[in-house]
Amino acid sequence: MTSGGHCWTTNDIIPLLFQELAKYEEMEHQVTLTEKELLEDGFGDTPFYHCIITEIQGQNSSEDPKVVGFAMYYFTYDPWVGKQLYLEEFYVMDEYRGLGIGSGILRHLSNLAMKTRCTGMMFVVAENNEPSVQFYKRRGAEDLSQEEGWRLFRFDKDSLVKMAAPSEE
Amino acid sequence: MSTALKIKEEEEEDLAEELAEYEKVANHVKITQRDLEQDGFSNNPFFHGIIAEVPEQHRTKEGYTKIGYALYFYTYSSWTGRAIYMQDLYVMPEFRGKGVGKALMSKVAQLALAAGCHQLNFTVVDWNKPSMDFYLSQGCFDVTATMGYHCMRCEGEALEHLAQP
């Protein structure tokens, strides 16, 4: 197995990878997005996100390359500091960690961020995910929640519907 | 106040058109609009804006009738799909407590649902208690507190360092 990999886009194994990531995060029961929606939203006329994958070439050249990691991202905008690359999902398969694959994906994305004139790369990490928190902090990421008191708030579908209803005044 | 308040959507195209009208360069408008239309959501770093406007008789002492706004853009969750992120929500101090913020958020919620979104996300800083209380009263929940999600960013030197081979 070679330790190098390369990143390019595909739509074949994205749903499978997302499923594996959901399992890792123990959030499978929270997935309501269908495979059809996922593919249409990423690879239809108006992409809501982009994906990159890392493949490893097998020992024999006749073997198909194996997908071992992926990242899903999109662009956001902060009027104070400018365009940002938002890293929504980032996953390397368990047995392929510690080989520099994650770093390779981040390097590719950081390059892309700089090429597209983003001033930062943003993402969210669960505080109990110690390995990930350390992975990012080692690479100079700032914890805006801890350091600047940022709290992520959310309206889910039901509360969105209530809020969208015209008020009786 | 609520019947007099108008919430308008301001798209890049409208802004470009207004600008062009002002500068009287009609051809430039067509090119700009076409460029903007060709940008997909993912390639488009722009945000969308909505403005809260009051009638002339309610204008501020400086003469402003546009007294609040919200900025948002589309994002994506691999679990629930399309989402909206509200980047900014602002109401001029003298117009607070009159339902303007609620009206702006209601419009963002309508736009979110119209676009097939399942979530509206935004961040609040924890020392801004009035804002936090306002949002919680509207039915949202604190993802950082309940799920332990921390917002992180790599920028400047850290980003450059990550990009090096």
Side-chain angles (χ1 to χ4, degrees), chain A residues 7-72:
Chain A
C7 305
W8 60 80
T9 59
T10 187
N11 68 343
D12 298 323
I13 43 77
I14 298 300
L16 287 170
L17 286 170
F18 278 23
Q19 259 171 41
E20 192 168 320
L21 174 61
K23 273 202 202 114
Y24 168 76
E25 295 185 346
E26 291 165 13
M27 297 298 270
E28 298 145 86
H29 57 282
Q30 298 232 7
V31 178
T32 54
L33 186 60
T34 65
E35 187 175 313
K36 181 173 182 287
E37 283 168 325
L38 183 66
L39 291 174
E40 173 61 31
D41 288 340
F43 306 96
D45 294 328
T46 315
F48 278 77
Y49 66 87
H50 299 288
C51 271
I52 58 169
I53 59 162
T54 300
E55 290 185 345
I56 293 272
Q57 191 60 50
Q59 297 274 21
N60 308 321
S61 56
S62 58
E63 272 176 57
D64 280 338
K66 183 181 159 71
V67 177
V68 294
F70 84 106
M72 182 237 219

Side-chain angles (χ1 to χ4, degrees), chain B residues 70-132:
Chain B
L71 297 179
Y72 67 92
F73 45 77
Y74 296 96
T75 62
Y76 206 78
S77 155
S78 50
W79 299 338
T80 56
R82 298 181 187 186
I84 267 196
Y85 186 87
M86 188 171 68
Q87 174 61 43
D88 280 350
L89 176 68
Y90 178 76
V91 179
M92 285 185 179
E94 65 206 89
F95 288 91
R96 289 180 198 167
K98 298 178 198 293
V100 179
K102 268 193 204 174
L104 284 165
M105 289 196 71
S106 180
K107 185 67 182 177
V108 174
Q110 286 167 28
L111 292 165
L113 292 168
C117 297
H118 304 273
Q119 269 179 15
L120 165 61
N121 294 301
F122 53 102
T123 52
V124 196
V125 281
D126 59 12
W127 44 259
N128 189 348
K129 198 142 191 323
S131 288
M132 275 178 62

Side-chain angles (χ1 to χ4, degrees), chain A residues 66-166:
Chain A
K66 183 181 159 71
V67 177
V68 294
F70 84 106
M72 182 237 219
Y73 65 95
Y74 42 83
F75 294 97
T76 64
Y77 199 86
D78 180 337
W80 298 104
V81 296
K83 206 163 137 191
Q84 307 287 299
L85 188 149
Y86 190 90
L87 180 55
E88 171 68 30
E89 294 291 7
F90 176 28
Y91 184 68
V92 177
M93 287 184 179
D94 216 352
E95 58 269 39
Y96 292 96
R97 293 196 194 147
L99 299 169
I101 293 169
S103 295
I105 291 176
L106 276 189
R107 184 166 52 243
H108 180 93
L109 290 173
S110 312
N111 261 306
L112 176 65
M114 294 186 68
K115 272 196 203 118
T116 53
R117 285 171 289 111
C118 293
T119 60
M121 188 161 69
M122 295 194 66
F123 45 97
V124 146
V125 190
E127 67 194 5
N128 61 11
N129 186 350
E130 242 343 271
S132 290
V133 171
Q134 288 313 312
F135 176 86
Y136 292 119
K137 283 195 168 166
R138 266 202 305 274
R139 287 157 177 80
E142 277 178 83
D143 184 340
L144 297 168
S145 292
Q146 195 169 66
E147 290 167 41
E148 294 182 27
W150 288 33
R151 299 256 190 115
L152 177 63
F153 275 50
R154 176 172 298 161
F155 284 91
D156 61 21
K157 189 70 177 286
D158 291 339
S159 48
L160 260 186
V161 171
K162 279 202 193 103
M163 199 161 54

Side-chain angles (χ1 to χ4, degrees), chain B residues 5 12 21 38 54 61 81 94 135-136 148 155 159 161:
Chain B
L5 186 70
E12 289 298 327
E21 250 173 44
Q38 276 171 6
V54 295
K61 48 186 187 296
E94 65 206 89
Y135 292 125
L136 292 168
E155 58 178 354
L159 184 65
H161 193 71

